[in-house]
Amino acid sequence: MRVLALESRLRGDARQAERLLRDAIEHADLAGSQRRAAQARLSLVPVLADLGRLPDALAAARAARPALHGVELGQLETQRALALSRAGRYAEALRDYDRALRLLRPGGDAEWTCRVLSNRAAVLGYLGHYPAARRDLQVAHQLATDNRLDIYAFRTKHNLGFVELRSGDLPAALRSFAAAEQWLPAGSVEASSLLDVAEAYLTGRLVHEAREKLEEAIEALAAGGFAVDVPEAEVLLARLHLLDKDPDAAARVATGAAAQFRQQRRPGWTSLAHHLALHARVDRGEADRGLLDQLRRSAGQLRRRGWAHAAVHSHVLAGDLARRLGHTRIARTELDRASHARQRGPIAVRAPAWYATALRRLVDDDVGGALRAARAGLRAVDEFAATLGATDLRVRASGWGEDLATLGVQLTKRAGDAWHYLTWVERWRANALRRPPVRPPHDGRLAADLAHLRRVTAELAASSARGVVSPKLAAEQVRLERAIRDRSRIASGPGGQGTSTTLDRGELQAQLGDRALVELTEYDGALVAVTVVAGRCRLHELCTLTEATAEMDALRFALHRLARRHGSRASLAAAEAGVAHAAGRLDTLLLGPLLPYIGDREVVLTPTGALHALPWSALPNLRDRPLSVAPSATMWLSAARGTRRRARRRGAVVLAGPGLEHAPREARMVARHYQRARQFTGRRATVSAALGALDRADVAHIAAHGTFRSDNPQFSALDLADGPVTVYDLEHLEVAPRRLVLSSCDTALSAVHAGDELQGVAAAFFALGTTTLVASVTPVADDETHAVMTRFHRLLAAGSPPGQALADAGTSTGTLGFVCFGVG
Amino acid sequence: MSGEEAVLARLGSAFDAVDPVPLAAYEAAVAGLALRDVDAELAELAADSVLADSGVRTRPATGPRLLTFTAGELSIEVEVADDGARRRLLGQLVPPQPAEIDVHWDGGASTVTTDQLGRFSVVSVPAGLVSMVCQLTDPARRVATSWVSI
């Protein structure tokens, strides 16, 4: 019966397991077998812990103890320790694990030794003793593989991932989680390990993926009767909502989880859930003495119950609130307590600890010191980003610096010094693009998946053109995209300090020459422009971001209809009117206040947020003007200096993708303008031919279907003869073409993450060394594009700089979607 | 949305999962329901960029979708963009004119007003079936679009 009960527990039915074990105890008692009853109680301890009934679990352990000794007593200590660690009573749990190891080793029970070491490592990880935790897990994993104990081989690898995550190494954690999976029987799910993966995704700020994992975990837990773990999943869900800036949802989920933990008598977890509920209230804008007192109590409780990281957060929240409410003394104490955590551990703790340091200095009116602390915190964020290999993780990493950057921007804005403000904005703008690109590892599986995805996507496109969609192929596409996405994220970055540089005023002015820099920034929901013209740096208050975004959306909508020639003649006329109206409004809102200063100068423009998708040349005051758009002034400067990725380049490359009537002709036209241009059209324009030819090309022109994938910008693509070339493929280029024209729809669109971090086809080329990129932020008509490109290349060949050539070509053909990025 | 419409919508999604009906037939059938609003004329789906040969440099069926509904000389141009699991609608009435527009979906609705160019926008519409009911003022007229799946 005890064996049956163990089976039930393994299958995940805790309630059934309890019933069976209670029966076993009763039978053993009736038969007068104390040892049998104690053995059943030993098995009952983890079952009760799973059900969230800690006092009952401890009582069962107490009742079993007198009848057990040696290895079996060691097993009992192990189960008791597990129950204790679940309740957050880590010190007691560690003592029990030590006793258990002494009792177990003489018997040489590999399985139980694995279990103890693996569980002890988890506790050591919680407490921040990472090297000791890693040692336990390495020993246990070896023991498990030597003894063919697959489930322990899985758990030890998985727990290693958990420890790596706590220590701050996200890719190492993801690698361990992936390596663990091979030890699981195919198709099986371990709910508690899904929670660890979800937590890793939260560190990577991958909100969408974390939500998927949590939903999967909650489903598995509920189905298995593991009531105890459901609120643990909800704790992560509450953190997810906080990250996702949805404090209402966070408050709801955290409050519910706290109530369940309280019912389960798990004070450790109760205080964690309660802390998240308080955090949500702060984020909702509540600010009163009552909340402050609760936060301080919560911080103390968290510290005592072993939640060191959450305690730091609570101290920061309390300190900041005390500061805002004017309770200076409390603010100092709380912020001092949080500041200690700034040197090591995960970025999710280090960044807030630096923020606390900055606020602490503000309390003493030390603005300079606060700014230095904020800078140091952003360096910690840079260091974290430098540990990451995958682009989609790196672009999100900047999000950890949001509070620090916002503080710096606020302080400098208040001081009113435009240049100082600009350097702060630049400090946190598009940092990921400035870091040296991380080459994906030469990974056979990744390469095979990418090739397979290309075939599947090409087949799907061909079949949907015939009006049929194969659900099997579509499912295969989703599966492959996930595999590629997950696989790419295990790559480590170069590490080190990152590349934070301070914008040099003299150099910027020298490179700008007669050009005007217009940097758009968001400040508290409003747009603020900084201009640098002829040595003068000025601040300009513009409209709200919402106002500008609404007009931009209307403009893009109208341009979309015109590009597709969608609708009747009257409808197209209305679209034309829509373009004129929206472009005029945007011109007034965004450029009006600047015109007296920028005059008719050539403009270098750095957009912000949603405005990265604005077709700038539609604005009347920009239409005929040479314009270059850049992710940041710092990026533009390094491109203009020509110091980025100096490399030997070779010639011109021209490519035409399939399915476009005018593309082959356009390719031939472009090729005529360059000596010995390599030309790939028709079936020769394959992905591998393209990647080979684009590498180190001096100039390249690609006429092809382009797609922007808002759901996952890494799969944004250009269509070639044998399928799409995605951002993942492009990242294999050693050196991207110096000057590049993407004669396609939408290829200049980017996903914009916190810190104006850009992700998409254009951003990938920039990160890989392209200095000038002409591409479109809107859909463009095939025939019109051919016309504008013919004109553009003719002007370019005649010696016109790209920004000027594009402005002239756009004016004469009326095509507005193309933008010149980088150095015009 | 009435009980009947809700049932039909749910039935629709069940069929979608098991044995999808061709889009056009499906929409035509569901459009019948809009006629229940006896005061409103029906604006039928006249163009859908997903089904059209695009002439633009992107694959069909990617990026935002353009729809046109027509009732007599009035047309309602709508762009549907993905916003995570939800949809964002941008629209324009042609000829441009002021109107109040109720956007209906399964289990909810939202009212917006057009600007002087007849433009409107609705954010955060759940994926699924939608219909727009336009209250025009000059002359007073109610026009309801057929239900479409977005």
Side-chain angles (χ1 to χ4, degrees):
Chain A
M1 208 173 284
R2 184 172 163 233
V3 173
L4 255 185
L6 286 176
E7 276 287 304
S8 301
R9 182 165 179 258
L10 286 177
R11 283 204 322 271
D13 187 346
R15 277 187 283 267
Q16 168 79 351
E18 185 192 1
R19 268 195 300 282
L20 291 167
L21 287 166
R22 294 275 184 211
D23 285 352
I25 294 169
E26 201 176 309
H27 281 100
D29 282 342
L30 283 175
S33 171
Q34 283 182 0
R35 184 157 166 266
R36 281 272 168 81
Q39 283 172 337
R41 286 198 170 93
L42 162 64
S43 302
L44 188 58
V45 175
V47 174
L48 292 170
D50 279 344
L51 284 166
R53 286 154 46 192
L54 181 67
D56 292 349
L58 294 179
R62 212 164 29 246
R65 180 183 291 272
L68 299 176
H69 41 81
V71 171
E72 282 183 339
L73 185 58
Q75 294 175 352
L76 183 70
E77 298 287 6
T78 310
Q79 302 292 38
R80 207 180 99 93
L82 185 67
L84 285 167
S85 66
R86 287 223 143 154
R89 287 158 67 172
Y90 295 127
E92 292 164 82
L94 279 181
R95 272 198 299 278
D96 280 7
Y97 280 135
D98 290 345
R99 265 203 300 276
L101 274 183
R102 280 197 299 277
L103 289 159
L104 287 171
R105 278 210 172 123
D109 187 325
E111 186 175 339
W112 278 87
T113 309
C114 274
R115 183 178 293 179
V116 176
L117 287 170
S118 172
N119 292 347
R120 184 170 72 175
V123 174
L124 289 167
Y126 264 116
L127 295 175
H129 305 312
Y130 309 121
R134 281 194 199 99
R135 257 192 322 272
D136 271 4
L137 289 169
Q138 268 144 14
V139 173
H141 186 72
Q142 191 60 50
L143 204 58
T145 48
D146 288 350
N147 290 279
R148 296 171 186 279
L149 298 167
D150 284 5
I151 189 67
Y152 287 99
F154 165 77
R155 284 197 189 142
T156 48
K157 247 309 171 237
H158 193 88
N159 284 1
L160 183 62
F162 167 80
V163 170
E164 298 296 4
L165 185 64
R166 297 280 299 188
S167 78
D169 190 341
L170 178 58
L174 294 175
R175 271 199 298 279
S176 289
F177 291 149
E181 247 167 59
Q182 61 174 307
W183 299 99
L184 267 187
S188 69
V189 182
E190 277 263 323
S192 59
S193 52
L194 290 174
L195 295 183
D196 290 340
V197 177
E199 186 163 11
Y201 286 162
L202 289 181
T203 301
R205 304 179 77 87
L206 299 162
V207 169
H208 176 68
E209 285 92 330
R211 186 174 287 136
E212 271 178 6
K213 284 286 168 204
L214 287 176
E215 279 164 3
E216 203 183 329
I218 289 172
E219 198 177 311
L221 291 167
F226 280 72
V228 70
D229 287 338
V230 169
E232 285 182 32
E234 287 170 348
V235 159
L236 290 171
L237 198 58
R239 280 178 51 191
L240 180 152
H241 288 311
L242 287 172
L243 205 64
D244 204 21
K245 300 203 159 92
D246 187 352
D248 292 334
R252 198 174 54 242
V253 173
T255 310
Q260 288 178 71
F261 284 131
R262 208 168 294 124
Q263 211 168 27
Q264 296 171 3
R265 293 168 211 276
R266 294 165 73 191
W269 283 91
T270 310
S271 49
L272 184 62
H274 179 59
H275 150 72
L276 292 169
L278 293 176
H279 189 163
R281 286 174 55 191
V282 174
D283 284 6
R284 272 201 305 216
E286 285 184 46
D288 55 56
R289 183 63 201 246
L291 182 56
L292 172 59
D293 292 340
Q294 288 195 58
L295 282 166
R296 296 176 68 199
R297 269 200 302 281
S298 163
Q301 242 173 27
L302 291 166
R303 232 178 27 241
R304 281 193 302 282
R305 288 170 176 165
W307 300 108
H309 294 172
V312 171
H313 289 148
S314 209
H315 284 306
V316 182
L317 292 170
D320 189 18
L321 184 56
R323 189 182 67 91
R324 285 183 285 135
L325 293 175
H327 301 296
T328 314
R329 216 160 42 92
I330 300 175
R332 286 199 182 99
T333 317
E334 295 295 323
L335 293 170
D336 276 337
R337 284 199 172 128
S339 302
H340 295 310
R342 65 196 185 206
Q343 294 301 353
R344 56 189 283 273
I347 191 62
V349 179
R350 290 185 68 192
W354 275 110
Y355 184 59
T357 309
L359 293 180
R360 174 68 183 80
R361 293 176 185 171
L362 268 192
V363 172
D364 291 341
D365 292 323
D366 176 9
V367 175
L371 287 174
R372 277 194 303 279
R375 269 185 188 281
L378 288 177
R379 269 198 301 279
V381 176
D382 279 343
E383 272 171 40
F384 169 65
T387 67
L388 307 170
T391 303
D392 57 357
L393 289 176
R394 281 193 293 141
V395 291
R396 284 175 173 84
S398 292
W400 291 114
E402 187 162 15
D403 286 340
L404 294 157
T406 306
L407 183 69
V409 163
Q410 274 170 353
L411 292 174
T412 49
K413 175 82 171 21
R414 244 175 258 159
D417 179 336
W419 176 257
H420 204 187
Y421 177 76
L422 178 64
T423 55
W424 257 97
V425 170
E426 281 290 314
R427 179 61 191 79
W428 195 53
R429 180 162 284 203
N431 279 319
L433 292 181
R434 274 191 263 158
R435 289 179 194 113
V438 178
R439 215 69 48 198
H442 284 286
D443 181 329
R445 208 165 93 196
L446 191 60
D449 280 352
L450 280 167
H452 191 181
L453 175 68
R454 198 173 302 140
R455 282 196 301 277
V456 168
T457 312
E459 267 182 63
L460 263 175
S463 64
S464 76
R466 293 193 307 270
V468 274
V469 176
S470 150
K472 219 176 106 188
L473 272 181
E476 181 69 352
Q477 185 187 36
V478 171
R479 186 191 71 78
L480 283 165
E481 287 190 354
R482 284 188 178 193
I484 290 162
R485 180 192 81 183
D486 293 348
R487 186 79 185 161
S488 71
R489 288 178 182 156
I490 66 176
S492 284
Q497 298 284 313
T499 57
S500 63
T501 47
T502 311
L503 191 59
D504 185 293
R505 188 166 188 167
E507 249 188 300
L508 180 67
Q509 277 159 6
Q511 287 298 335
L512 281 174
D514 197 38
R515 282 176 280 222
L517 172 73
V518 175
E519 177 134 332
L520 293 177
T521 71
E522 190 201 335
Y523 184 80
D524 214 8
L527 281 168
V528 174
V530 187
T531 54
V532 179
V533 185
R536 286 291 302 274
C537 184
R538 294 182 185 86
L539 281 172
H540 313 262
E541 312 278 342
L542 308 177
C543 55
T544 65
L545 184 60
T546 323
E547 218 175 331
T549 307
E551 280 310 335
M552 179 192 76
D553 289 343
L555 174 62
R556 292 177 50 85
F557 170 45
L559 285 172
H560 186 190
R561 284 151 65 195
L562 291 172
R564 284 189 187 267
R565 298 190 183 103
H566 179 97
S568 62
R569 197 176 299 165
S571 165
L572 291 174
E576 293 271 11
V579 169
H581 178 84
R585 276 294 290 157
L586 286 164
D587 201 74
T588 307
L589 293 172
L590 302 181
L591 296 174
L594 314 181
L595 285 175
Y597 307 97
I598 62 175
D600 57 1
R601 286 180 167 79
E602 184 177 338
V603 165
V604 176
L605 194 147
T606 58
T608 190
L611 299 183
H612 282 284
L614 202 137
W616 294 99
S617 33
L619 273 52
N621 267 298
L622 292 178
R623 191 162 296 181
D624 305 321
R625 181 196 302 254
L627 168 76
S628 34
V629 175
S632 68
T634 310
M635 280 280 293
W636 180 84
L637 182 57
S638 75
R641 277 193 313 232
T643 50
R644 297 182 68 232
R645 306 183 64 76
R646 216 171 276 175
R648 280 167 67 95
R649 309 269 189 173
R650 33 173 210 193
V653 178
V654 182
L655 286 142
L660 286 172
E661 192 191 331
H662 296 276
R665 211 146 49 89
E666 182 176 308
R668 283 194 297 277
M669 173 279 295
V670 175
R672 275 200 299 275
H673 290 297
Y674 298 92
Q675 281 187 341
R676 287 192 302 276
R678 283 165 295 161
Q679 226 187 109
F680 300 86
T681 53
R683 290 166 62 179
R684 292 183 57 236
T686 63
V687 171
S688 65
L691 290 175
L694 289 173
D695 215 350
R696 295 179 190 279
D698 186 49
V699 180
H701 181 102
I702 308 176
H705 277 308
T707 30
F708 174 67
R709 282 274 303 268
S710 59
D711 61 328
N712 187 339
Q714 290 294 107
F715 290 108
S716 298
L718 292 160
D719 280 6
L720 295 177
D722 55 344
V725 55
T726 66
V727 173
Y728 282 116
D729 296 309
L730 294 174
E731 287 178 343
H732 282 90
L733 291 175
E734 285 287 327
V735 181
R738 182 180 59 88
R739 190 180 278 184
L740 175 66
V741 180
L742 299 176
S743 184
S744 327
C745 293
D746 294 341
T747 38
L749 286 180
S750 300
V752 186
H753 301 280
D756 280 310
E757 296 290 359
L758 305 180
Q759 189 191 7
V761 171
F765 278 116
F766 261 119
L768 290 162
T770 293
T771 51
T772 305
L773 172 69
V774 170
S776 176
V777 290
T778 65
V780 287
D782 185 24
D783 49 358
E784 275 179 17
T785 301
H786 174 242
V788 77
M789 286 303 161
T790 303
R791 184 104 190 110
F792 170 70
H793 278 282
R794 193 172 298 150
L795 290 164
L796 215 53
S800 198
Q804 178 78 56
L806 188 65
D808 294 348
T811 309
S812 60
T813 59
T815 304
L816 303 172
F818 285 97
V819 178
C820 177
F821 295 90
V823 180
Chain B
M1 183 182 283
S2 74
E4 273 177 81
E5 286 166 353
V7 167
L8 198 70
R10 269 204 294 282
L11 255 179
S13 45
F15 275 116
D16 267 350
V18 182
D19 177 20
V21 174
L23 196 64
Y26 185 44
E27 281 163 3
V30 180
L33 278 175
L35 288 172
R36 289 170 53 84
D37 188 344
V38 287
D39 299 330
E41 295 166 61
L42 178 67
E44 299 209 60
L45 183 62
D48 181 345
S49 64
V50 169
L51 306 172
D53 179 19
S54 62
V56 292
R57 292 195 174 184
T58 189
R59 250 179 272 151
T62 57
R65 176 180 171 199
L66 289 176
L67 303 169
T68 303
F69 300 90
T70 53
E73 81 299 347
L74 176 79
S75 72
I76 305 162
E77 305 287 351
V78 180
E79 182 187 78
V80 185
D82 287 357
D83 182 8
R86 306 207 141 223
R87 305 285 178 263
R88 192 194 59 182
L89 307 183
L90 289 171
Q92 185 175 25
L93 300 185
V94 180
Q97 56 195 289
E100 197 162 86
I101 300 175
D102 295 324
V103 182
H104 296 269
W105 59 85
D106 185 4
S110 171
T111 304
V112 292
T113 317
T114 61
D115 65 7
Q116 74 274 28
L117 290 179
R119 303 179 304 178
F120 61 92
S121 79
V122 196
V123 293
S124 215
V125 178
L129 290 171
V130 294
S131 164
M132 282 154 280
V133 181
C134 312
Q135 181 65 56
L136 311 179
T137 49
D138 190 24
R141 206 177 147 193
R142 266 169 86 76
V143 180
T145 72
S146 52
W147 288 85
V148 285
S149 170
I150 60 167

